[in-house]
Each structure stands twice: as structure tokens, then as C-alpha cells.
Amino acid sequence: MINKENIEIRPYKIADYSQVVDILILSFESKFKKLTNLETNNLKSYMMDALLFDNQPQDGYFVATIKNEVVGVVKATYSNKAKVNNTNKTSFFYLEKKYGLRNVIKLRFAMILLSDSTNKGEYYIEHIAVSERARGHGIGTKLLEKVFDEANRLDEIDKVTLYVAGTNQGAVKLYERIGFKTIKKRKSFLMQLVFKKRTWFFMSKYLNGESRPKLTLNRYWWLGLLGLIGFVYINDIRNVFIHGENYFILLNLLWFSWFIYFIPSKR
Ligand SMILES: CC(C)(COP(=O)(O)OP(=O)(O)OC[C@H]1O[C@@H](n2cnc3c(N)ncnc32)[C@H](O)[C@@H]1OP(=O)(O)O)[C@@H](O)C(=O)NCCC(=O)NCCS
């Protein structure tokens, strides 16, 4: 029986790594099994050798324990987080010899696909998992609460975000209960090819309770502005300079372009 009083959420330590990998492999086994012909034990040994999951303690990396046994893990990241290098990475040639070239390449590629660049202001949950026998006792909720505590501690963060497979309705339900909203549904041919899951939900929850993305300027708005002016109004601009037409046209164009690029941020 799981007693809620005994659940502790604490920062991850190197000594937790083996248990963390066990939880992640068993929780996402179906994803990995579609990629490789490795048995669960071999898959674990590969993950340990290749360090596909981070093994160094760092901000945003927490475990849930019950009487010192790790039963859950969450890892979140943000754009300004100091880079932490994993130790003792095994060479590609060693891995290839031991596990086969196809497996090594496919797993590496899959991890790259699953990683996502993080925008400013965003605390992004890379993964969250609870061991199967401990699910449904509030551990996932506690891990998420810890992530929000951390996000609140950091000045520059205004939202917590994550990706979840559209088929993972249990997890979606949990995130919605906590207040996450689906911001966009992404259909990805590559994800379909690699993980047999085509639709992914990008969900976010704002720390100040907002539910809509804020209107923000796209980072590359000025490129769009130049492009628009160049493409659509090249003749008008030439006329201003060559035939001395009214400069007011330029001002109007600037306003027009400016407003189009006042688009909601994609996250
Ligand atoms: C999603 C997950 C982390 C939730 O952890 P948890 O400790 O069971 O979460 P909680 O007990 O706080 O909340 C339970 C809710 O989680 C959801 N849930 C998802 N999968 C579940 C499962 N297999 N068993 C129980 N609840 C599950 C349910 O909506 C449940 O809500 P309910 O109690 O109203 O029915 C856990 O189910 C898990 O590890 N799943 C596999 C890995 C995964 O899918 N991770 C998310 C990737 S984005």
C-alpha cells in the first residue's frame, strides 16, 4: 500500500540514475521497442552506457521517493539554464559494436527528435514518469507541483510547457486537471515514422493564471518586415526615391508591416 505521507520529492542525485532509467524505460517502453530489437535489459544497459538520459544533477531534475526507493522522475529545463555535461560517455564505436549500428543510430535520432528547443520565459518539461505500480496516488501531481515551485522561483519564467502524445489521454487529463491548456496540435510525419504517433499536443500553463498566449513580437519580425516591403511594395519604394513621391507611403507601409508581425507567439 502506498501511503501519501511517505512520498518525498527531492532533487535528483547521481546514485538515483539506475532507478530513474528503469522508470523511464518501462514508462516509455512502447516508444523504444518500436525502434530497436533490444530486450528491456539490453535497452537499459544501452541507456546506461550511452547516457541518453542526463545523469548529472541539475536545476529542474527531481525524483519522487517512497522510503528511499525512487518511484517517479521529472526533468524540466529553460533557455538560460547552465549547461551540464554528462560524465563518462561511452564512445560511438563501443556502442555500435555492443548494440548494433542500427540500434545506436535509431535511438540517437529518436532522442534528438524528442528534444525541443526552449523559448525564453518557458520552463519546459522534458519528461515525467511514475513507476507503474505507484501511479494514481498523486505522485505525478506532486512532481508537477515541484516544477511549478521551481518555475516560480526563477524571475524570467512565465509559463510551464510540455509535449504529450495525442494518444496519451491519461496524461492529457492529468495536465488539464492541473490547469494546462493545449496551445497547438502538431501533426508530425517524422514522429509518425519513428514512434508511430502522429499527433502531439503542445500544452502550457501560465504562472500568473493566464490561459492564452500573450501577444508578442516574433523574434525575426524585422526579417519579415524587410521581406514584405521588398516583395509587395518595391515599386512604391523606388518611386519615393527615384520620382520623389510622398514619403507618407513609406510610413504607411511600415505601420502595415509592423501590425502583421504583431502575431501571437507560437508558444
Ligand atoms: C502520467 C503519469 C506521470 C501520471 O503519474 P501519476 O502519479 O499516476 O499521477 P497522479 O496520481 O498525480 O494523477 C493521476 C492521473 O494521471 C492520469 N493517468 C495517466 N496514466 C495513468 C495511469 N496509468 N494510472 C493512473 N493514472 C494515470 C489520470 O488522469 C489520473 O487522473 P485520475 O486520478 O483523475 O483518474 C504516469 O501515469 C506515467 O508515468 N505515465 C507513463 C509515462 C507518461 O506517459 N508520461 C507523460 C509523458 S508527457
Side-chain angles (χ1 to χ4, degrees):
M1 258 305 275
I2 288 172
N3 182 348
K4 288 191 179 173
E5 311 289 295
N6 294 335
I7 302 168
E8 189 200 344
I9 309 291
R10 62 158 172 80
Y12 159 90
K13 295 190 282 209
I14 293 184
D16 301 324
Y17 193 59
S18 172
Q19 294 181 79
V20 162
V21 173
D22 274 336
I23 293 173
L24 290 173
I25 287 184
L26 292 174
S27 295
F28 300 111
E29 197 168 20
S30 63
K31 273 188 198 155
F32 295 125
K33 281 279 159 73
K34 283 181 183 116
L35 283 169
T36 68
N37 50 17
L38 298 174
E39 287 306 315
T40 306
N41 275 347
N42 257 342
L43 194 59
K44 175 169 182 190
S45 147
Y46 173 80
M47 294 291 182
M48 301 288 286
D49 282 346
L51 292 180
L52 284 196
F53 300 117
D54 287 350
N55 77 339
Q56 291 299 303
Q58 53 197 273
D59 282 0
Y61 202 173
F62 299 101
V63 291
T65 60
I66 296 178
K67 295 186 183 154
N68 292 328
E69 183 200 345
V70 177
V71 290
V73 57
V74 67
K75 184 162 175 283
T77 193
Y78 53 97
S79 62
N80 288 341
K81 188 168 133 179
K83 192 156 171 44
V84 181
N85 285 323
N86 289 321
T87 51
N88 305 324
K89 260 195 178 161
T90 319
S91 85
F92 177 82
F93 297 105
Y94 171 85
L95 292 173
E96 180 260 303
K97 231 180 185 162
K98 193 167 169 192
Y99 304 101
L101 185 63
R102 271 173 70 101
N103 287 330
V104 173
I105 291 181
K106 277 176 134 183
L107 280 166
R108 191 70 251 173
F109 180 64
M111 295 310 277
I112 293 172
L113 258 189
L114 285 176
S115 62
D116 192 48
S117 63
T118 314
N119 286 342
K120 206 163 166 257
E122 180 180 341
Y123 206 47
Y124 174 68
I125 298 179
E126 290 178 7
H127 50 247
I128 176 167
V130 171
S131 62
E132 199 166 355
R133 63 175 188 80
R135 287 180 197 160
H137 290 89
I139 297 172
T141 307
K142 281 191 174 211
L143 285 166
L144 288 167
E145 281 166 5
K146 186 73 187 174
V147 166
F148 278 96
D149 286 350
E150 283 297 296
N152 275 312
R153 219 172 40 82
L154 296 162
D155 285 342
E156 72 266 38
I157 301 296
D158 65 355
K159 60 183 171 288
V160 176
T161 61
L162 55 87
Y163 265 107
V164 56
T167 47
N168 196 349
Q169 280 304 309
V172 171
K173 206 173 118 193
L174 165 67
Y175 300 142
E176 283 175 346
R177 174 153 55 75
I178 285 174
F180 280 87
K181 298 267 188 308
T182 302
I183 301 299
K184 73 177 175 200
K185 291 184 183 172
R186 180 176 147 201
K187 286 194 194 306
S188 163
F189 173 70
L190 263 182
M191 294 298 250
Q192 164 73 28
L193 202 70
V194 177
F195 297 113
K196 312 280 180 272
K197 291 181 196 298
R198 190 181 171 89
T199 309
W200 293 74
F201 296 170
F202 182 73
M203 303 185 82
S204 88
K205 183 182 172 185
Y206 280 83
L207 300 183
N208 61 7
E210 282 174 39
S211 58
R212 286 157 166 269
K214 278 193 287 192
L215 283 178
T216 56
L217 262 186
N218 185 303
R219 212 167 2 145
Y220 299 111
W221 67 272
W222 52 271
L223 271 181
L225 177 81
L226 286 179
L228 253 165
I229 293 177
F231 264 121
V232 186
Y233 301 111
I234 194 80
N235 271 333
D236 289 348
I237 297 165
R238 279 184 64 225
N239 288 342
V240 169
F241 291 108
I242 298 172
H243 304 296
E245 279 189 16
N246 200 338
Y247 279 89
F248 211 68
I249 297 176
L250 269 186
L251 203 63
N252 277 338
L253 295 179
L254 271 172
W255 271 115
F256 178 64
S257 311
W258 178 269
F259 277 117
I260 321 190
Y261 275 85
F262 245 114
I263 53 172
S265 91
K266 68 184 167 86
R267 303 206 148 170

